[in-house]
Amino acid sequence: DQQVKQNSPSLSVQEGRISILNCDYTNSMFDYFLWYKKYPAEGPTFLISISSIKDKNEDGRFTVFLNKSAKHLSLHIVPSQPGDSAVYFCAASDQGGSEKLVFGKGMKLTVNP
Amino acid sequence: EAGVAQSPRYKIIEKRQSVAFWCNPISGHATLYWYQQILGQGPKLLIQFQNNGVVDDSQLPKDRFSAERLKGVDSTLKIQPAKLEDSAVYLCASSLRGTLNTGVELFFGEGSRLTVL
């Protein structure tokens, strides 16, 4: 049973355009959501997060939107840069529970120069 | 600040052999995690330690996998005997306990890639 779903395995965008990465979750107990970025042969690195008490969090070129009623979140990257090319993982946790992170399968973003 | 250290980076073994992975978390991080990432999938939690104690090992195949965290710092993950389906990257992560607003951010090591032939 996949609690965090990233239904699109890949996305290709032009440099300077917007990249939108989507994520859906099924567990209503999740109250904290994170995006991780992973380059080949490296461990995932934290990118941005959002608590369920908010619907938007912005950090430079990265913005995460949370729609709790739809159990959906998205990551917007504007403008996209070639260095953003990586695999992006959506993750969620239940802060009131074990705090363990549950990850989606990941989505490969390619930003073309 | 030093990151999460893992070794070895790569290991190739034959099925039914044993293997051990080592992790040194970020100094001061009480929580340590071992994740398994199979190619094309997201990381899956195997075991979570809070200091010396196990918080969650519900997805650890206990007939072949074992993990320990002595003195609440370093940790080892062992597989014995290995199966072909254990081929994966084993990621160690550590964290500080979060708050309701900040949540828990995990810091990952580079991972140990295991190939079972």
Side-chain angles (χ1 to χ4, degrees), chain B residues 29-44:
Chain B
H29 282 194
T31 310
L32 185 147
Y33 313 76
W34 284 100
Y35 279 83
Q36 179 194 58
Q37 186 180 10
I38 293 173
L39 187 64
Q41 298 183 21
K44 183 185 84 171

Side-chain angles (χ1 to χ4, degrees), chain A residues 6 21 35-39 47 62 75 77 83-90 104-109:
Chain A
Q6 294 177 260
L21 290 72
W35 286 93
Y36 277 81
K37 177 178 176 179
K38 186 181 183 303
Y39 292 117
L47 188 58
F62 303 92
L75 174 67
I77 306 174
D84 296 330
S85 297
V87 176
Y88 289 77
F89 292 98
C90 173
K105 286 188 174 181
M107 177 183 188
K108 184 176 182 180
L109 173 66

Side-chain angles (χ1 to χ4, degrees), chain B residues 24-73:
Chain B
N24 180 246
I26 294 173
S27 178
H29 282 194
T31 310
L32 185 147
Y33 313 76
W34 284 100
Y35 279 83
Q36 179 194 58
Q37 186 180 10
I38 293 173
L39 187 64
Q41 298 183 21
K44 183 185 84 171
L45 180 69
L46 292 176
I47 189 166
Q48 176 183 347
F49 292 95
Q50 181 77 21
N51 297 310
N52 287 354
V54 175
V55 174
D56 187 337
D57 63 356
S58 58
Q59 297 191 91
L60 187 74
K62 298 180 186 64
D63 58 334
R64 299 183 299 105
F65 286 65
S66 64
E68 60 181 6
R69 190 181 184 196
L70 299 176
K71 301 180 182 177
V73 181

Side-chain angles (χ1 to χ4, degrees), chain A residues 38-45, chain B residues 3-11 20-24 33-37 43 77 88-93 107-114:
Chain A
K38 186 181 183 303
Y39 292 117
E42 295 184 11
T45 55
Chain B
V4 176
Q6 290 189 245
S7 68
R9 287 295 310 275
Y10 304 94
K11 188 75 177 177
F21 302 112
W22 173 83
C23 173
N24 180 246
Y33 313 76
W34 284 100
Y35 279 83
Q36 179 194 58
Q37 186 180 10
L77 175 70
V89 175
Y90 291 86
L91 294 162
C92 179
F107 296 84
F108 284 88
E110 292 182 316
S112 296
R113 180 178 294 276
L114 173 66

Side-chain angles (χ1 to χ4, degrees), chain A residues 31-32 34 36 38 41-44 46 49 51 53 89 95 98-105, chain B residues 9 35 37 40-43 45 48 56 91 97 99-106 108-110:
Chain A
D31 54 9
Y32 194 67
L34 306 89
Y36 277 81
K38 186 181 183 303
E42 295 184 11
F46 171 75
S49 64
S51 165
I53 62 175
F89 292 98
Q95 292 298 98
S98 69
E99 296 184 336
K100 71 179 183 183
L101 287 187
V102 178
F103 285 83
K105 286 188 174 181
Chain B
R9 287 295 310 275
Y35 279 83
Q37 186 180 10
Q41 298 183 21
L45 180 69
Q48 176 183 347
D56 187 337
L91 294 162
R97 186 169 183 85
T99 67
L100 185 58
N101 290 328
T102 62
V104 176
E105 177 190 334
L106 271 62
F108 284 88
E110 292 182 316

